[in-house]
Amino acid sequence: MKVYKPQWQCTLDVTEGVETTASWKHRLAWQLRHLADRLEGGKRTLTLDVDVRPGIPREDVDRCLGKGFALSQTLMTELAQHAACESIMRDAKAELYESD
């Protein structure tokens, strides 16, 4: 009897800048992206490198990435709410935070 062993691989690499070994064209492109981010105010340019084997449809990859970003937004919203509450508590009850 033959035993089948499924094998798969999925890597997601998120880059927010240029590698030191990149070509001058690549470095220039990233400098322009950073300039655009500053001009637009508060935006960030990221590069996503997705490698899934065996291959899956691009639509599925896009849907998964969208759900991941939606989850990230939910988590960051919760963190912002906690930070806002802590800020109010530090102002209203400063004596609780005197050891900080």
Side-chain angles (χ1 to χ4, degrees):
M1 175 166 70
K2 186 173 183 178
V3 177
Y4 293 93
K5 181 181 176 191
Q7 295 182 356
W8 64 91
Q9 177 182 355
C10 180
T11 57
L12 174 64
D13 184 35
V14 180
T15 307
E16 191 177 10
V18 66
E19 297 178 8
T20 56
T21 59
S23 69
W24 70 270
K25 290 179 185 180
H26 199 75
R27 288 194 309 269
L28 177 61
W30 272 104
Q31 288 174 352
L32 292 173
R33 287 182 186 108
H34 286 299
L35 177 61
D37 289 348
R38 283 197 309 262
L39 291 174
E40 291 180 333
K43 294 193 177 187
R44 295 171 73 174
T45 299
L46 301 173
T47 299
L48 299 175
D49 183 20
V50 180
D51 181 23
V52 181
R53 294 179 195 174
I56 59 175
R58 184 177 178 93
E59 296 81 23
D60 291 342
V61 172
D62 293 346
R63 187 172 49 251
C64 290
L65 290 172
K67 288 181 180 183
F69 284 120
L71 176 60
S72 295
Q73 181 182 6
T74 301
L75 294 172
M76 287 185 280
T77 300
E78 288 178 15
L79 286 173
Q81 180 184 11
H82 295 169
C85 292
E86 182 175 343
S87 176
I88 290 171
M89 287 295 295
R90 284 183 181 274
D91 188 46
K93 296 288 186 178
E95 64 274 8
L96 296 175
Y97 295 92
E98 287 177 358
S99 63
D100 290 352

